[in-house]
Each structure stands twice: as C-alpha cells, then as structure tokens.
Amino acid sequence: MLKNKKIVLGITGGIAAYKAAELTRAFIKAGAEVKVIMTQSATEFITPLTLRTLSKNPVYTGMFESGEPYDMAHIALAEWADAFVIAPATGNVIGKIASGIADDLLTTTLMAQNKPTLICPAMNDKMLANPFVQENLRKLAGAGYRVMQSGVGELACNVTGPGRLPEIPEILDELEALFTVQDFAGQKVLVTAGPTQEPLDPVRYITNHSSGKMGYALAKAAHQRGAKVTLISGPTKIAPPKVETVIFVRTAQEMHRAVMDACSKASVIIKAAAVADYRPRVAAGEKIKKDRGLPGIELVRNPDIIADIGAKKNKGILVGFAMETQDLLANARQKMIRKNMDMIIANNLRDEGAGFEGDTNIITILDRLGRTVALDKMTKQEAAHRILDHIRSFKAKKGPAGKK
Ligand code: CTP
C-alpha cells in the first residue's frame, strides 16, 4: 500500500528523534520514497547526515539555506508529498501547528500543505498530560489530522508512563490508514480474538491453537478504515494492533463479561475468538500432584458468548466464525442461524493455507441474505478487508442500522 508513495517525514527535537532513522528505513522498506525535514532542535539529537544517507535524499533543515534564490522548499515539499508524518512530534510543534504558527521550515511547509498528515506525539508524561497540549491534540484531530496515541512505557526521563513514540509497526499501520478509504468512520466495531485458557490448577490449563492473528487483522483493518475499535483478546503471543481500546481476558467467562459489557455500544460485532466450549468445574487452588493418582477432570459448559449476543441484539451486525473439519458450509450455515448471526466466516482446518497459526486463510463468507462468497487463499489482512467489504455491503442492503 505504501509502494511509490512520497512521504515527507518531519522530525522535531525530542529524544525519540533517534528512532526516526529506523522509521525512515521502515518506510523505504515498505516501498515509499522519503524526504526529511528536521527542526533545528532535532539536529541536536540526530544528524542530518544519518537521515540523508538512509533516505537517499537531501535533508531539509532551514528556510534560507539552499542558496538557490527561487527554491521555495516549503512549497516544493508540500506539493511533492503524498502524505506527511511528524515523528516524533513534540508538544512545542503540536502547539505551533494547532495555533497556525509557521516559524521554521517544518511548520511553514505544514501550513502550506493539505495532504493527509499523521502526528506521532512523543514527550515526557507530564508534558503530554498538560491541558494545553491535550487541547492542541484535540484541535489537530478535529481539523482532520490523524493523531496517534503515544505509547506507554519507560521514558527517557526515568519515569514510566504515556509519552513514548508509538512503535514503528504501529506508525506504519497508521500511515497505511492515511491512504485507506474511511468507509467505517462513525462505526463502533467490537472484535474478539485469540483463544481462552481454562485453568485446571495454578500451572495448567485447557486451551486451543488459536493465534489471534485473524481477529487482530480484523481489528487493524476496521481501525484503518476509520472505525472506533474495541478489541477483546484472549492470551496470544503476538502484539495487538493499536486500536482505541484493547481488553485482555483469560477465560471464556471473563470474555463473556467483557463482551456483554461492551456489545450494546457496538454497531458491528465480530467474534473471531476461539472460545473454549468447556472448562474444568473446579480449578484446584494448589498444583495437582501426580502421586495422588490420575485425577478425573469434570468439565462444565462455558457460556456461548455469540449466542447470548444473538439472543438480545436488535440492531448492529453480528459476525461469527466457524472453524470446521467436515461439512464446512452446512455446519457454518446452521451455526449462523442457530446463534442468530448475520454473517459467518467459514474455514476448514484441513485446507492447506487456512487455520489458526499461519498468516493466510481460505474463507467462505455466508450471510442471512443467502449469499455465499468463496474466496481464494489470501493473507489474513486481505481476508479481513474482504470481510469488512462484505459487512458494508450487507449493511447497505439492510439499511443504516442493519435492522432485520
Ligand atoms: N463462540 C462463542 N462462545 C462459545 C463458543 C463459540 O462466542 N462458547 C463463537 C465463536 O467466537 C465463533 C462461533 O461461536 O464466532 C462459532 O464457534 P465454534 O466453536 O465453531 O462453534 P460451536 O457452537 O462451539 O460449535 P462446535 O460444536 O463446532 O464447537
């Protein structure tokens, strides 16, 4: 998606400026061309030479330095760019952009452009919490800039809190979003992902092979298309996408509570999680010892989360998954009707290139309008977008609220 895109990276003077070198490489690796503008203070943290070498383009640092009397760099860069990324964006530069101040090359170029722009704030936690900084960030978001939330973690000033530059893969996801049609703007999408773990004792549990990849791909795709996304995830080994809300749960009962709390606000609910159907009736308080003989494990049924949502929903679109090993479409269709879903995504564990742990999937989408769409093998990210396309077309046919 970033292939041949022209990106102007604006680097401002915070300690996270050193990460702009990696960011430049990541943009180029994704196929983009990069030109860098640095503020004077950014050059105190990282040299223009580093960025010039990595971007293979001149680095722009001042308004009046080119020596070419008619070379108006701010206008030329504004026209050249397909998108702007400001990373790191300090409180100072955020304040200047929000107030219409243009007193250096970066802020002047930003004033002279109307391209999609991503702001990646990074600063000390107290600076970030400052009400003026917060108001300025809201102003930028209100004016159509895409504003990322800073990461939470260790900061250079030896405190732990919000203010870190978002991770590079997260910035790449947001940059892709700048080039993505915002056809889910205004939608609230709830996605569940991953397996659940049902404890037997403090060291053992029952679970399944779900990796969380399909659910995370859906959450990311919906976020990139403009939805406000809540992701409720079981334990996984991969990093969740940066969406509005991420809630981690462990057991099916915890997932049930979290989903029931969140689902009434959602206009689309996608249940990609592989919920354990059964749990041990009791989870032993202490480790089960083998010298006491083979323990019988009594299992009880977990709540069927999607069936509970299906029973009470009257608007919104409910999408489930069916992972089967035989009679794929018949089983999936039955599940969709039995649990009052609007749509079900069927995949066969036995198909090469489908299933839990890989990066690809082979899905068939079935819906309550009687449509069946079989898709070829594709990445889970592509499959996620195709599922969202189908949800959009389903909504369009059902009316704005998706009412039956
Ligand atoms: N699901 C759920 N809660 C459960 C079990 C399943 O919400 N306790 C949801 C899954 O997230 C998925 C759909 O139901 O969207 C179908 O899951 P699946 O395990 O295939 O369905 P089951 O009804 O459990 O059928 P099976 O007998 O094949 O396990």
Side-chain angles (χ1 to χ4, degrees):
M1 189 181 279
L2 298 179
K3 204 160 172 38
N4 299 326
K5 291 285 189 288
K6 298 187 179 103
I7 309 300
V8 170
L9 172 62
I11 307 174
T12 70
I15 180 61
Y18 79 93
K19 297 181 184 171
E22 277 297 335
L23 192 58
T24 302
R25 291 192 62 156
F27 289 165
I28 289 171
K29 210 168 156 209
E33 191 183 344
V34 180
K35 289 188 178 177
V36 173
I37 304 178
M38 300 175 77
T39 61
Q40 270 308 316
S41 19
T43 65
E44 302 285 336
F45 290 95
I46 182 167
T47 70
L49 177 63
T50 305
L51 279 310
R52 195 177 79 199
T53 310
L54 293 173
S55 69
K56 300 186 176 59
N57 269 318
V59 169
Y60 302 81
T61 52
M63 284 293 285
F64 311 107
E65 69 189 4
S66 82
E68 298 287 336
Y70 304 113
D71 177 15
M72 291 195 283
H74 60 296
I75 305 294
L77 286 165
E79 277 169 12
W80 177 83
D82 293 319
F84 280 78
V85 178
I86 314 304
T90 56
N92 180 48
V93 84
I94 289 165
K96 283 193 207 172
I97 309 168
S99 316
I101 293 172
D103 64 353
D104 60 10
L105 181 63
L106 179 62
T107 47
T108 309
T109 309
L110 287 172
M111 190 180 272
Q113 62 92 21
N114 57 1
K115 306 290 172 61
T117 302
L118 177 65
I119 306 284
C120 309
M123 65 198 84
N124 160 274
D125 59 332
K126 296 212 172 49
M127 293 170 83
L128 184 63
N130 178 290
F132 298 113
V133 174
Q134 285 300 314
E135 191 188 326
N136 289 333
L137 287 170
R138 278 193 297 275
K139 252 175 145 177
L140 292 185
Y145 290 77
R146 198 163 175 110
V147 177
M148 287 192 78
Q149 278 174 28
S150 301
V152 179
E154 210 180 304
L155 304 177
C157 43
N158 288 333
V159 295
T160 298
R164 283 172 65 86
L165 185 72
E167 299 301 323
I168 287 173
E170 295 169 350
I171 296 177
L172 279 170
D173 287 352
E174 294 299 321
L175 179 55
E176 280 182 11
L178 289 185
F179 298 109
T180 307
V181 180
Q182 299 294 289
D183 56 353
F184 274 70
Q187 300 288 330
K188 293 202 167 110
V189 176
L190 172 63
V191 180
T192 70
T196 64
Q197 291 178 351
E198 310 299 328
L200 277 161
D201 70 11
V203 292
R204 304 175 180 98
Y205 53 79
I206 298 173
T207 190
N208 56 61
H209 290 294
S210 171
S211 62
K213 285 181 181 172
M214 192 64 236
Y216 285 10
L218 280 157
K220 173 174 150 180
H223 173 75
Q224 287 185 327
R225 289 166 75 152
K228 295 246 176 298
V229 177
T230 298
L231 172 63
I232 298 177
S233 175
T236 68
K237 295 194 178 77
I238 54 172
K242 206 170 169 85
V243 298
E244 278 65 30
T245 311
V246 181
I247 300 169
F248 277 106
V249 295
R250 185 175 177 213
T251 65
Q253 286 175 300
E254 284 169 23
M255 186 173 279
H256 185 256
R257 273 193 294 277
V259 170
M260 288 328 225
D261 280 350
C263 71
S264 59
K265 292 184 216 102
S267 52
V268 177
I269 301 166
I270 309 176
K271 286 272 313 121
V275 185
D277 289 323
Y278 296 94
R279 67 176 183 276
R281 192 177 63 78
V282 281
E286 303 298 336
K287 187 182 175 199
I288 300 168
K289 304 295 281 180
K290 62 178 168 300
D291 55 11
R292 308 230 178 96
L294 196 64
I297 300 168
E298 193 187 334
L299 297 175
V300 291
R301 278 291 287 271
N302 269 327
D304 190 319
I305 305 171
I306 200 164
D308 284 357
I309 305 169
K312 67 173 216 177
K313 93 179 165 76
N314 59 2
K315 64 182 170 84
I317 307 286
L318 181 57
V319 182
F321 273 73
M323 164 74 80
E324 306 288 343
T325 55
Q326 55 187 356
D327 299 331
L328 177 66
L329 297 188
N331 278 332
R333 193 170 291 112
Q334 259 178 25
K335 256 177 214 176
M336 171 170 70
I337 292 164
R338 194 172 71 238
K339 301 190 189 192
N340 197 24
M341 305 174 196
D342 296 287
M343 199 179 295
I344 194 158
I345 317 303
N347 51 5
N348 190 336
L349 190 60
R350 297 265 154 80
D351 284 345
E352 174 81 38
F356 281 133
E357 277 162 31
D359 289 323
T360 59
N361 210 348
I362 303 169
I363 58 169
T364 301
I365 307 175
L366 297 92
D367 71 19
R368 293 292 280 274
L369 298 168
R371 297 184 292 181
T372 302
V373 180
L375 299 175
D376 293 335
K377 181 163 101 174
M378 56 182 71
T379 66
K380 287 185 172 168
Q381 202 56 57
E382 283 163 348
H385 279 289
R386 301 297 288 271
I387 293 167
L388 294 181
D389 291 344
H390 200 94
I391 292 172
R392 207 190 50 190
S393 101
F394 185 88
K395 265 178 166 287
K397 288 208 167 6
K398 283 284 181 190
K403 272 200 169 97
K404 291 209 181 94

PDB file of all heavy atoms in Angstrom, residues 271 273 275 277 303-306 320-323 335 338-339, ligand 1:
ATOM      1  N   LYS A 271     -16.925 -11.927  16.116  1.00  0.00           N
ATOM      2  CA  LYS A 271     -16.442 -12.872  17.138  1.00  0.00           C
ATOM      3  C   LYS A 271     -15.456 -13.846  16.497  1.00  0.00           C
ATOM      4  O   LYS A 271     -15.809 -14.939  16.095  1.00  0.00           O
ATOM      5  CB  LYS A 271     -17.620 -13.639  17.747  1.00  0.00           C
ATOM      6  CG  LYS A 271     -18.479 -12.844  18.688  1.00  0.00           C
ATOM      7  CD  LYS A 271     -18.040 -12.833  20.153  1.00  0.00           C
ATOM      8  CE  LYS A 271     -17.686 -14.107  20.803  1.00  0.00           C
ATOM      9  NZ  LYS A 271     -16.568 -14.490  21.379  1.00  0.00           N
ATOM     10  N   ALA A 273     -12.804 -14.924  18.153  1.00  0.00           N
ATOM     11  CA  ALA A 273     -12.132 -15.692  19.214  1.00  0.00           C
ATOM     12  C   ALA A 273     -12.514 -17.165  19.140  1.00  0.00           C
ATOM     13  O   ALA A 273     -13.640 -17.512  18.775  1.00  0.00           O
ATOM     14  CB  ALA A 273     -12.498 -15.128  20.582  1.00  0.00           C
ATOM     15  N   VAL A 275     -13.346 -19.631  21.467  1.00  0.00           N
ATOM     16  CA  VAL A 275     -13.708 -19.734  22.887  1.00  0.00           C
ATOM     17  C   VAL A 275     -13.764 -21.215  23.264  1.00  0.00           C
ATOM     18  O   VAL A 275     -14.366 -22.024  22.542  1.00  0.00           O
ATOM     19  CB  VAL A 275     -15.097 -19.094  23.117  1.00  0.00           C
ATOM     20  CG1 VAL A 275     -15.442 -19.078  24.600  1.00  0.00           C
ATOM     21  CG2 VAL A 275     -15.150 -17.688  22.533  1.00  0.00           C
ATOM     22  N   ASP A 277     -15.240 -24.341  24.704  1.00  0.00           N
ATOM     23  CA  ASP A 277     -16.639 -24.672  24.989  1.00  0.00           C
ATOM     24  C   ASP A 277     -16.821 -25.185  26.418  1.00  0.00           C
ATOM     25  O   ASP A 277     -17.895 -25.065  26.990  1.00  0.00           O
ATOM     26  CB  ASP A 277     -17.126 -25.744  24.003  1.00  0.00           C
ATOM     27  CG  ASP A 277     -17.294 -25.169  22.603  1.00  0.00           C
ATOM     28  OD1 ASP A 277     -17.730 -24.012  22.493  1.00  0.00           O
ATOM     29  OD2 ASP A 277     -16.966 -25.866  21.621  1.00  0.00           O
ATOM     30  N   PRO A 303     -20.325 -20.336  28.893  1.00  0.00           N
ATOM     31  CA  PRO A 303     -21.384 -19.608  28.198  1.00  0.00           C
ATOM     32  C   PRO A 303     -21.064 -19.514  26.711  1.00  0.00           C
ATOM     33  O   PRO A 303     -19.895 -19.383  26.338  1.00  0.00           O
ATOM     34  CB  PRO A 303     -21.352 -18.213  28.844  1.00  0.00           C
ATOM     35  CG  PRO A 303     -20.060 -18.127  29.572  1.00  0.00           C
ATOM     36  CD  PRO A 303     -19.610 -19.520  29.868  1.00  0.00           C
ATOM     37  N   ASP A 304     -22.083 -19.595  25.862  1.00  0.00           N
ATOM     38  CA  ASP A 304     -21.874 -19.375  24.427  1.00  0.00           C
ATOM     39  C   ASP A 304     -22.064 -17.874  24.192  1.00  0.00           C
ATOM     40  O   ASP A 304     -23.187 -17.364  24.171  1.00  0.00           O
ATOM     41  CB  ASP A 304     -22.868 -20.201  23.603  1.00  0.00           C
ATOM     42  CG  ASP A 304     -22.496 -20.178  22.122  1.00  0.00           C
ATOM     43  OD1 ASP A 304     -22.105 -19.096  21.632  1.00  0.00           O
ATOM     44  OD2 ASP A 304     -22.588 -21.221  21.470  1.00  0.00           O
ATOM     45  N   ILE A 305     -20.964 -17.192  24.032  1.00  0.00           N
ATOM     46  CA  ILE A 305     -20.993 -15.717  24.047  1.00  0.00           C
ATOM     47  C   ILE A 305     -21.787 -15.189  22.861  1.00  0.00           C
ATOM     48  O   ILE A 305     -22.672 -14.339  23.002  1.00  0.00           O
ATOM     49  CB  ILE A 305     -19.553 -15.154  24.028  1.00  0.00           C
ATOM     50  CG1 ILE A 305     -18.751 -15.751  25.194  1.00  0.00           C
ATOM     51  CG2 ILE A 305     -19.576 -13.629  24.108  1.00  0.00           C
ATOM     52  CD1 ILE A 305     -17.260 -15.444  25.147  1.00  0.00           C
ATOM     53  N   ILE A 306     -21.492 -15.720  21.687  1.00  0.00           N
ATOM     54  CA  ILE A 306     -22.140 -15.166  20.489  1.00  0.00           C
ATOM     55  C   ILE A 306     -23.640 -15.479  20.493  1.00  0.00           C
ATOM     56  O   ILE A 306     -24.457 -14.664  20.048  1.00  0.00           O
ATOM     57  CB  ILE A 306     -21.437 -15.641  19.194  1.00  0.00           C
ATOM     58  CG1 ILE A 306     -21.769 -14.698  18.037  1.00  0.00           C
ATOM     59  CG2 ILE A 306     -21.774 -17.065  18.849  1.00  0.00           C
ATOM     60  CD1 ILE A 306     -20.857 -14.828  16.835  1.00  0.00           C
ATOM     61  N   GLY A 320     -19.887 -14.134  13.060  1.00  0.00           N
ATOM     62  CA  GLY A 320     -19.169 -15.197  13.760  1.00  0.00           C
ATOM     63  C   GLY A 320     -18.234 -15.941  12.838  1.00  0.00           C
ATOM     64  O   GLY A 320     -18.182 -15.681  11.624  1.00  0.00           O
ATOM     65  N   PHE A 321     -17.491 -16.848  13.407  1.00  0.00           N
ATOM     66  CA  PHE A 321     -16.575 -17.706  12.649  1.00  0.00           C
ATOM     67  C   PHE A 321     -16.959 -19.159  12.868  1.00  0.00           C
ATOM     68  O   PHE A 321     -17.463 -19.514  13.934  1.00  0.00           O
ATOM     69  CB  PHE A 321     -15.131 -17.496  13.125  1.00  0.00           C
ATOM     70  CG  PHE A 321     -14.441 -16.372  12.413  1.00  0.00           C
ATOM     71  CD1 PHE A 321     -14.769 -15.052  12.689  1.00  0.00           C
ATOM     72  CD2 PHE A 321     -13.466 -16.630  11.457  1.00  0.00           C
ATOM     73  CE1 PHE A 321     -14.143 -14.007  12.020  1.00  0.00           C
ATOM     74  CE2 PHE A 321     -12.830 -15.597  10.795  1.00  0.00           C
ATOM     75  CZ  PHE A 321     -13.167 -14.286  11.074  1.00  0.00           C
ATOM     76  N   ALA A 322     -16.712 -19.977  11.892  1.00  0.00           N
ATOM     77  CA  ALA A 322     -16.876 -21.416  12.072  1.00  0.00           C
ATOM     78  C   ALA A 322     -15.624 -22.093  11.543  1.00  0.00           C
ATOM     79  O   ALA A 322     -15.294 -21.976  10.362  1.00  0.00           O
ATOM     80  CB  ALA A 322     -18.099 -21.915  11.320  1.00  0.00           C
ATOM     81  N   MET A 323     -14.916 -22.709  12.429  1.00  0.00           N
ATOM     82  CA  MET A 323     -13.737 -23.495  12.040  1.00  0.00           C
ATOM     83  C   MET A 323     -14.176 -24.951  12.103  1.00  0.00           C
ATOM     84  O   MET A 323     -14.553 -25.442  13.163  1.00  0.00           O
ATOM     85  CB  MET A 323     -12.615 -23.204  13.041  1.00  0.00           C
ATOM     86  CG  MET A 323     -11.476 -24.174  13.029  1.00  0.00           C
ATOM     87  SD  MET A 323     -10.435 -23.956  11.611  1.00  0.00           S
ATOM     88  CE  MET A 323      -9.438 -22.566  12.142  1.00  0.00           C
ATOM     89  N   LYS A 335     -24.885 -22.966  12.216  1.00  0.00           N
ATOM     90  CA  LYS A 335     -24.401 -22.178  13.360  1.00  0.00           C
ATOM     91  C   LYS A 335     -24.892 -20.746  13.260  1.00  0.00           C
ATOM     92  O   LYS A 335     -25.313 -20.140  14.242  1.00  0.00           O
ATOM     93  CB  LYS A 335     -22.864 -22.143  13.352  1.00  0.00           C
ATOM     94  CG  LYS A 335     -22.246 -23.050  14.375  1.00  0.00           C
ATOM     95  CD  LYS A 335     -20.732 -23.040  14.289  1.00  0.00           C
ATOM     96  CE  LYS A 335     -20.254 -24.441  14.656  1.00  0.00           C
ATOM     97  NZ  LYS A 335     -18.818 -24.601  14.518  1.00  0.00           N
ATOM     98  N   ARG A 338     -28.630 -20.793  14.079  1.00  0.00           N
ATOM     99  CA  ARG A 338     -28.886 -21.169  15.475  1.00  0.00           C
ATOM    100  C   ARG A 338     -28.510 -20.037  16.436  1.00  0.00           C
ATOM    101  O   ARG A 338     -29.203 -19.788  17.413  1.00  0.00           O
ATOM    102  CB  ARG A 338     -28.073 -22.429  15.798  1.00  0.00           C
ATOM    103  CG  ARG A 338     -28.482 -23.117  17.088  1.00  0.00           C
ATOM    104  CD  ARG A 338     -27.783 -24.453  17.275  1.00  0.00           C
ATOM    105  NE  ARG A 338     -26.373 -24.309  17.582  1.00  0.00           N
ATOM    106  CZ  ARG A 338     -25.385 -24.823  16.876  1.00  0.00           C
ATOM    107  NH1 ARG A 338     -25.641 -25.544  15.813  1.00  0.00           N
ATOM    108  NH2 ARG A 338     -24.130 -24.662  17.229  1.00  0.00           N
ATOM    109  N   LYS A 339     -27.423 -19.319  16.137  1.00  0.00           N
ATOM    110  CA  LYS A 339     -26.947 -18.304  17.076  1.00  0.00           C
ATOM    111  C   LYS A 339     -27.379 -16.887  16.668  1.00  0.00           C
ATOM    112  O   LYS A 339     -26.883 -15.902  17.192  1.00  0.00           O
ATOM    113  CB  LYS A 339     -25.428 -18.388  17.193  1.00  0.00           C
ATOM    114  CG  LYS A 339     -24.930 -19.766  17.667  1.00  0.00           C
ATOM    115  CD  LYS A 339     -23.447 -19.708  18.006  1.00  0.00           C
ATOM    116  CE  LYS A 339     -22.886 -21.101  18.260  1.00  0.00           C
ATOM    117  NZ  LYS A 339     -21.539 -21.054  18.848  1.00  0.00           N
TER     118      LYS A 339
HETATM  119  N1  CTP B   1     -18.414 -18.885  20.299  1.00  0.00           N
HETATM  120  C1  CTP B   1     -18.722 -18.121  21.393  1.00  0.00           C
HETATM  121  N2  CTP B   1     -18.759 -18.691  22.633  1.00  0.00           N
HETATM  122  C2  CTP B   1     -18.515 -20.015  22.799  1.00  0.00           C
HETATM  123  C3  CTP B   1     -18.195 -20.809  21.663  1.00  0.00           C
HETATM  124  C4  CTP B   1     -18.155 -20.211  20.425  1.00  0.00           C
HETATM  125  O1  CTP B   1     -18.950 -16.916  21.240  1.00  0.00           O
HETATM  126  N3  CTP B   1     -18.575 -20.544  23.998  1.00  0.00           N
HETATM  127  C5  CTP B   1     -18.398 -18.233  18.969  1.00  0.00           C
HETATM  128  C6  CTP B   1     -17.039 -18.201  18.304  1.00  0.00           C
HETATM  129  O2  CTP B   1     -16.340 -16.999  18.627  1.00  0.00           O
HETATM  130  C7  CTP B   1     -17.389 -18.262  16.828  1.00  0.00           C
HETATM  131  C8  CTP B   1     -18.700 -19.044  16.807  1.00  0.00           C
HETATM  132  O3  CTP B   1     -19.219 -19.014  18.124  1.00  0.00           O
HETATM  133  O4  CTP B   1     -17.651 -16.998  16.292  1.00  0.00           O
HETATM  134  C9  CTP B   1     -18.583 -20.468  16.386  1.00  0.00           C
HETATM  135  O5  CTP B   1     -17.652 -21.120  17.175  1.00  0.00           O
HETATM  136  P1  CTP B   1     -17.489 -22.693  17.134  1.00  0.00           P
HETATM  137  O6  CTP B   1     -16.548 -23.139  18.222  1.00  0.00           O
HETATM  138  O7  CTP B   1     -17.170 -23.097  15.725  1.00  0.00           O
HETATM  139  O8  CTP B   1     -18.998 -23.104  17.443  1.00  0.00           O
HETATM  140  P2  CTP B   1     -19.671 -24.041  18.436  1.00  0.00           P
HETATM  141  O9  CTP B   1     -21.065 -23.581  18.556  1.00  0.00           O
HETATM  142  O10 CTP B   1     -18.889 -24.129  19.697  1.00  0.00           O
HETATM  143  O11 CTP B   1     -19.687 -25.403  17.650  1.00  0.00           O
HETATM  144  P3  CTP B   1     -18.778 -26.692  17.705  1.00  0.00           P
HETATM  145  O12 CTP B   1     -19.683 -27.735  18.203  1.00  0.00           O
HETATM  146  O13 CTP B   1     -18.371 -26.907  16.272  1.00  0.00           O
HETATM  147  O14 CTP B   1     -17.608 -26.400  18.621  1.00  0.00           O
END
